[in-house]
Amino acid sequence: MTDISFAGRVAIVTGAGGGLGRTYALDIARRGGAVVVNDLGGSVEGPGAGRSMADAVVEEITAAGGRAVASYDSVASRAGAQAIVDTALETFGRVDAVINNAGNMRVKAFEEYSEEDFDAILRVHLGGSFNVTQAAWAHFKARGYGRVVFTSSSTGMYGSELYACYAAAKAGITGLMNVLSLEGAPHGITCNAVMPNAISRMTDMVSAELAERMGETAMAEAAERMAVIGDAMSPAFNTGLAVYLASEACTSTHAVYSACVGRIARVFIGATEGWHGALDAPASAEDIATHFEQICDLSGGVHIPQGPGDEFQIVLARPQPAVKP
Ligand code: NAD
């Protein structure tokens, strides 16, 4: 494999003032790309703002001989997103890749979430991904090239207690990616999502919150399990995946990938072969109860539909029973 280069390319990395985003920005710059290092510079929960986080990463890049510019705008507003893309266009004249990585976090039992919590989380994760990608989209289409990396999460794709708002946003991001990958395909735009796993200030905040809720014994057991993992929970173990998906070498679109302590895997929505009812009469609730095991049975294989049409194809390819079984 030849080295993956970003020479002549311009990438926007949102939330790049620390954690995972910082490593994406540094690696792209090291590979010759110019980077917009975007970070609002607020707290993990969301409030606050500051320039020092983005500035520090820009300094790190320029000290190493790379090209970078800071952006302190919030991804959560359309105006902020437009300003981030304008920074790329005004400073470097183009934009080739967007890594939607910015995020905030709140950890609560479902009944504790306020309307403000919901808005704050959804606006940054899902809204931010929508806003920044949309601001760059016309530019991508006009040039027939674009790379978009979204950031989902195992909490959204699999489920995890205490993350109702965050998980809803992260699952929503994969929905956005699914549609944009199809709309972008004729224009040379690829869209994929990553599900990272890394210790960062965000996970430090989560650990502190969980410690309070779970008690010391459960946390000590969790810490013991994590100790085995060691360095593989550092952000660097996630960098290669996001940078590959943001690069010209990327051949993937419309997919979600998990990075988990050194293992990279594709994650997908699957459908069982299911139970095929009759076409001439709708299945009753009793029919569903009778055939429930077959509906859930994985032994008949799993389909991975790439769109609503695929599911129709699966059904229409089957010989249909003429009468209600
Ligand atoms: P982090 O807190 O270090 O990074 C998030 C960055 O986003 C912060 O620097 C923050 O200042 C910035 N940010 C927050 N709101 C912003 C806004 N409105 N506009 C611009 N920037 C904003 O945490 P991290 O772990 O590096 O997380 C990076 C991304 O990866 C997040 O989207 C997170 O949800 C996701 N993620 C992380 C993990 C993990 O294990 N660390 C797991 C799954 C998903």
Side-chain angles (χ1 to χ4, degrees):
M1 176 72 211
T2 52
D3 286 352
I4 290 178
S5 170
F6 278 76
R9 299 287 186 196
V10 176
I12 292 168
V13 184
T14 70
L20 292 156
R22 171 181 160 273
T23 70
Y24 304 158
L26 289 173
D27 199 51
I28 289 172
R30 185 180 68 79
R31 294 169 183 281
V35 186
V36 175
V37 177
N38 162 257
D39 207 292
L40 179 63
S43 64
V44 180
E45 290 85 353
R51 298 184 163 218
S52 60
M53 290 178 74
D55 284 346
V57 176
V58 168
E59 275 166 31
E60 219 176 331
I61 290 171
T62 48
R67 293 198 302 153
V69 63
S71 140
Y72 320 104
D73 299 289
S74 173
V75 299
S77 76
R78 305 286 282 250
Q82 190 59 56
I84 294 166
V85 173
D86 287 348
T87 299
L89 296 176
E90 284 159 17
T91 313
F92 302 120
R94 57 191 286 156
V95 56
D96 299 283
V98 170
I99 303 184
N100 291 298
N101 167 80
N104 53 359
M105 173 60 86
R106 300 185 189 186
V107 182
K108 297 181 182 185
F110 180 47
E111 65 274 17
E112 295 169 9
Y113 278 106
S114 66
E115 191 176 353
E116 192 273 330
D117 289 328
F118 181 85
D119 287 346
I121 296 287
L122 271 286
R123 277 189 192 285
V124 172
H125 288 275
L126 183 54
S129 300
F130 183 101
N131 294 336
V132 180
T133 307
Q134 195 186 49
W137 199 252
H139 184 72
F140 287 158
K141 273 177 93 166
R143 293 183 43 246
Y145 179 89
R147 295 284 180 266
V148 187
V149 182
F150 293 94
T151 306
S152 186
S153 164
S154 53
T155 55
M157 296 301 280
Y158 307 145
S160 191
E161 298 97 327
L162 305 174
Y163 293 98
C165 296
Y166 179 80
K170 289 305 201 187
I173 284 171
T174 64
L176 179 62
M177 180 280 291
N178 284 334
V179 171
L180 298 192
S181 62
L182 297 173
E183 290 192 21
H187 307 285
I189 306 168
T190 64
C191 299
N192 296 281
V194 294
M195 292 166 40
N197 280 285
I199 290 168
S200 66
R201 73 169 197 166
M202 186 183 280
T203 55
D204 286 347
M205 173 271 197
V206 169
S207 300
E209 189 65 37
L210 293 183
E212 259 183 44
R213 290 173 184 265
M214 288 165 57
E216 280 181 18
T217 315
M219 280 309 286
E221 283 168 12
E224 207 172 299
R225 283 197 300 274
M226 294 303 281
V228 179
I229 294 167
D231 282 352
M233 272 301 282
S234 67
F237 278 73
N238 300 264
T239 312
L241 175 62
V243 169
Y244 167 73
L245 295 172
S247 77
E248 202 175 334
C250 171
T251 55
S252 167
T253 195
H254 199 177
V256 182
Y257 298 95
S258 158
C260 187
V261 291
R263 164 187 161 274
I264 313 293
R266 183 169 167 210
V267 174
F268 48 81
I269 305 273
T272 61
E273 179 55 37
W275 167 68
H276 292 257
L279 290 182
D280 60 351
S284 67
E286 290 78 8
D287 291 329
I288 302 300
T290 303
H291 297 280
F292 206 67
E293 211 171 298
Q294 194 183 343
I295 289 168
C296 300
D297 183 19
L298 288 166
S299 67
V302 172
H303 297 283
I304 308 169
Q306 293 297 297
D310 284 3
E311 200 153 23
F312 280 92
Q313 288 304 321
I314 293 162
V315 176
L316 295 174
R318 300 283 306 175
Q320 294 296 327
V323 291
K324 200 172 173 181

